[in-house]
Amino acid sequence: MDHFADRLRAAPQSRLQRGAAAEALALARELARRAQLREFPGVEPREMPDAGMFAAADQITVAGHDLALTLTSEGDVEEAVRLVGEAQQRAGV
């Protein structure tokens, strides 16, 4: 997750505009949703707002770290790593 965020920070604006930022926001929202479901079971998760393409890397970092604090098994960690890897591949960074 940190590697993906660093790659986004280094990406040119044109790459962010071509979809990398949107992919990053989608990932951040999914990570945040999963963290909220674990931390507050039974409560409808709030959606992470779109703070703009230049904030997407920070949103991934925050949401990823929040989720990491809730993971309790190796399988949970592997699933989160898979999500991040797939999003990074789709973003092309």
Side-chain angles (χ1 to χ4, degrees), residues 75-91:
D76 293 340
V77 172
E78 289 172 359
E79 174 68 8
V81 169
R82 183 189 63 76
L83 286 174
V84 172
E86 290 173 355
Q88 183 173 357
Q89 186 174 22
R90 286 190 302 270

Side-chain angles (χ1 to χ4, degrees), residues 8-47:
L8 285 169
R9 288 184 189 99
Q13 183 174 347
S14 61
R15 170 87 36 126
L16 296 174
Q17 290 172 322
R18 285 193 312 263
E23 188 62 48
L25 176 60
L27 173 64
R29 285 178 169 167
E30 179 60 20
L31 296 176
R33 185 187 74 78
R34 288 174 183 235
Q36 290 176 61
L37 288 171
R38 290 172 162 281
E39 192 171 358
F40 306 107
V43 176
E44 183 68 27
R46 295 165 295 185
E47 183 175 76

Side-chain angles (χ1 to χ4, degrees), residues 2-12 15-16 57 88 92-93:
D2 288 331
H3 181 262
F4 183 20
D6 289 342
R7 301 277 305 207
L8 285 169
R9 288 184 189 99
R15 170 87 36 126
L16 296 174
Q88 183 173 357
V93 294

